[in-house]
Amino acid sequence: QVHLVESGGGLVQAGGSLRLSCAASGIIFSINIMGWYRQAPGKQRELVADITSGGSTNYADSVKGRFTISRDNAKNTVYLQMNSLKPEDTAVYYCIASYTRDYWGQGTQVTVSS
């Protein structure tokens, strides 16, 4: 059974940095796409960034130049380095792994104070 565990969220001041990690277990073959979504209060869940097993990346316009997604295929882990954080980045961040189907993590809170 596939299970995703996220870590690294927290409270940070505007301009600060955080690094999120998401480790997948129960994996037998390569995960196609791994990524991060976020959901702010009262808003729809939105894609932040994703990355293929070959390393191709895709970012939301709002985070380009500030966030970097990476993955370690051997560890089935995806990372999100978030720099120059803004209060509007405040949200619950969810990891996703596109495997036999889409699997989601439980979410980790990121709060950016002004």
Side-chain angles (χ1 to χ4, degrees), residues 13-18 62 65-67 81-87 89 112:
Q13 289 188 332
S17 298
L18 284 174
S62 60
R66 300 188 298 122
F67 291 9
Q81 178 66 43
M82 305 185 293
N83 298 328
S84 302
L85 282 160
K86 303 176 181 180
D89 294 318
V112 185

Side-chain angles (χ1 to χ4, degrees), residues 66-107:
R66 300 188 298 122
F67 291 9
T68 302
I69 190 169
S70 60
R71 64 188 282 177
D72 184 332
N73 291 330
K75 296 182 178 179
N76 292 314
T77 299
V78 64
Y79 307 96
L80 186 68
Q81 178 66 43
M82 305 185 293
N83 298 328
S84 302
L85 282 160
K86 303 176 181 180
E88 51 262 45
D89 294 318
T90 295
V92 178
Y93 284 69
Y94 297 91
C95 173
I96 182 172
S98 296
Y99 188 53
T100 53
R101 62 170 177 84
D102 287 346
Y103 291 89
W104 293 88
Q106 79 284 358

